[in-house]
Amino acid sequence: MGLDRPNYILADKYLISTFNPTNYLCSNEIRYTYVLDMLWRGNYEQTTKDILGIHRQKILERHKIYAKMLDDFVEKYANVDIIVANWFNPFHPEWLIKKFPNAVKIYGCIDDPVAIYQRRLNSLWAFDAAFYISPSYDKGLSMVEALELWGVSQSYWWPLTTNKVCPDHCQAINSSWNNRTSGVIYVGGLYGPKLDRLAELKQRLGKDFSIYGRWPLGGYAGFLGPLVGRNWLPYRVRTITQEERQQLYLRHKIGINMHFSECRETGNMRMYEVPFHGLMLLCNKAADGWHESIYKPGVEAVFYDDIEDAVDKATYYLKHDSEREKIARAGFERACKDYDADKCLEDFLDWASTVKIKSSRKVL
């Protein structure tokens, strides 16, 4: 499931269709299972007057819309072989296993480990398998091991990449190696703890570090950091288009990456798009060294322990162009070889086709 898109065939063997639940309800109404339960049953048993923007007097109205969403899904996909809930599960788990007992059901753990206890665990039992994007969950526990603890014995690592290898892109990268005159770049949204790290990087690297992304308050949110207990970032973050991002990437030497937590997960989308655009990836480390399963340290990417280490390494590689470019080229080759979006999707579907339905589901 994802954004609306016409049916399409991948590799002459998979017919893929997408379903967008936010055409019916807002994401806050359907990403949390306890809210789904209220919508599904049409009652409001919470003691608060307002929860996640859903007012008591509107619950019955939203229940009807939710019921239509479920009916529409059954009408369109009654005979589907595989259901993949990507990002969050919009279906009440009891409804899902009763209506689709013979379909393989796979949950996509995209925001984990951070979101696992927010909206994942109380739905996982209704699924036969899960895919994850972060090989690490926490120190001493990989994502595979964590999923097994939660009762998911079938799981798959799916790199979170949207990059597609094509001749035009490869030509643009090959023409860019001698034209990269800018320093370090970060492109991304504003998420709580990242503000502290970005503010420190900007303070230390100065004009050699540029930040872009869709930030609140017209890009001036960093100015208000101290009001919410964060560092001060007196710097306007400008929103850019997809085309502008590509051009900026082609002009920069180093792309810095960080995850929501500093030393737990690894493998966000930026971790793949940076090397894919010919920049040297400078990325934070994951729990138990799982980042090394994505890129070879010091060969295809450079990893840092903390912001102090990131500043030191950024400064070093900005002064040593030949070493930086060697790593950037190796990272680009790895991204093209293993992290092409269509290849990763086909590999995932090959695995999904082998997933076994839980025996307990067949008797419902």
Side-chain angles (χ1 to χ4, degrees):
M1 292 176 295
L3 299 179
D4 288 328
R5 178 176 177 180
N7 295 352
Y8 67 101
I9 296 175
L10 177 68
D12 293 327
K13 55 183 175 180
Y14 296 114
L15 175 62
I16 300 174
S17 181
T18 60
F19 181 80
N20 187 1
T22 59
N23 284 339
Y24 299 83
L25 297 162
C26 71
S27 61
N28 273 347
E29 291 177 291
I30 48 182
R31 73 167 71 183
Y32 300 105
T33 310
Y34 69 107
V35 180
L36 284 184
D37 192 52
M38 290 189 293
L39 290 170
W40 188 51
R41 300 180 192 280
N43 60 21
Y44 195 99
E45 298 175 350
Q46 304 296 322
T47 56
T48 55
K49 294 181 180 179
D50 184 7
I51 184 166
L52 293 176
I54 307 173
H55 296 278
R56 182 174 186 137
Q57 61 268 30
K58 291 185 178 180
I59 194 68
L60 186 57
E61 172 191 336
R62 311 306 281 172
H63 162 70
K64 293 178 181 177
I65 297 174
Y66 185 63
K68 176 173 172 46
M69 185 196 85
L70 298 180
D71 289 343
D72 287 352
F73 188 84
V74 172
E75 181 180 349
K76 292 179 181 179
Y77 305 112
N79 299 314
V80 74
D81 297 309
I82 302 171
I83 297 173
V84 181
N86 185 17
W87 183 35
F88 60 83
N89 168 39
F91 304 123
H92 193 284
E94 294 173 25
W95 175 90
L96 184 61
I97 61 174
K98 289 178 180 177
K99 288 293 184 179
F100 292 91
N102 298 316
V104 169
K105 293 167 282 295
I106 302 173
Y107 205 155
C109 301
I110 286 185
D111 288 336
D112 296 320
V114 177
I116 193 73
Y117 283 96
Q118 292 180 346
R119 59 178 181 265
R120 197 86 67 220
L121 278 185
N122 46 12
S123 277
L124 270 175
W125 63 270
F127 289 82
D128 305 297
F131 77 81
Y132 56 91
I133 66 163
S134 174
S136 58
Y137 173 74
D138 208 347
K139 186 176 181 180
L141 192 65
S142 69
M143 199 65 194
V144 169
E145 293 167 333
L147 285 166
E148 288 177 348
L149 284 177
W150 302 323
V152 181
S153 60
Q154 302 177 95
S155 62
Y156 181 87
W157 174 53
W158 187 358
L160 187 63
T161 175
T162 60
N163 307 304
K164 296 185 180 181
V165 180
C166 68
D168 287 347
H169 179 76
C170 292
Q171 177 59 42
I173 299 302
N174 289 330
S175 300
S176 73
W177 297 117
N178 296 323
N179 299 316
R180 296 178 181 267
T181 57
S182 300
V184 184
I185 186 173
Y186 174 90
V187 181
L190 175 62
Y191 300 98
K194 290 186 181 180
L195 176 57
D196 292 336
R197 288 172 256 162
L198 289 170
E200 187 175 351
L201 281 168
K202 184 60 180 174
Q203 181 182 14
R204 299 284 302 280
L205 294 174
K207 62 181 178 58
D208 285 330
F209 181 42
S210 300
I211 308 172
Y212 298 90
R214 190 174 290 109
W215 284 33
L217 305 177
Y220 289 99
F223 284 79
L224 304 181
L227 297 180
V228 292
R230 297 291 180 189
N231 287 350
W232 186 42
L233 180 61
Y235 175 86
R236 188 195 173 202
V237 177
R238 185 167 67 86
T239 300
I240 55 176
T241 65
Q242 185 76 14
E243 176 62 27
E244 288 174 323
R245 179 174 64 173
Q246 174 152 326
Q247 293 306 313
L248 283 165
Y249 273 156
L250 292 176
R251 293 202 300 268
H252 280 78
K253 299 179 178 181
I254 298 173
I256 198 159
N257 186 35
M258 59 184 66
H259 295 79
F260 189 83
S261 56
E262 291 193 66
C263 55
R264 289 185 67 186
E265 74 270 22
T266 190
N268 58 15
M269 193 174 293
R270 189 167 39 250
M271 197 166 178
Y272 302 98
E273 74 179 21
V274 166
F276 185 73
H277 285 86
L279 298 96
M280 188 194 83
L281 175 66
L282 180 59
C283 182
N284 63 317
K285 295 180 180 179
D288 297 336
W290 276 101
H291 53 279
E292 297 182 15
S293 67
I294 302 178
Y295 295 109
K296 295 178 182 177
V299 177
E300 298 167 334
V302 175
F303 296 93
Y304 60 87
D305 295 303
D306 51 29
I307 294 301
E308 182 74 25
D309 190 34
V311 171
D312 289 344
K313 287 176 176 173
T315 303
Y316 175 85
Y317 283 104
L318 286 177
K319 293 178 179 178
H320 297 80
D321 255 353
S322 60
E323 293 181 46
R324 173 200 57 79
E325 185 177 316
K326 182 178 180 181
I327 295 172
R329 286 178 178 270
F332 173 67
E333 291 175 6
R334 178 69 183 277
C336 291
K337 175 177 176 289
D338 290 338
Y339 303 132
D340 172 75
D342 283 345
K343 174 187 180 300
C344 290
L345 175 57
E346 183 179 352
D347 290 346
F348 164 73
L349 291 174
D350 288 344
W351 167 80
S353 300
T354 69
V355 169
K356 305 237 182 317
I357 295 174
K358 290 181 181 179
S359 59
S360 59
R361 302 290 181 258
K362 297 179 180 179
V363 298
L364 292 172

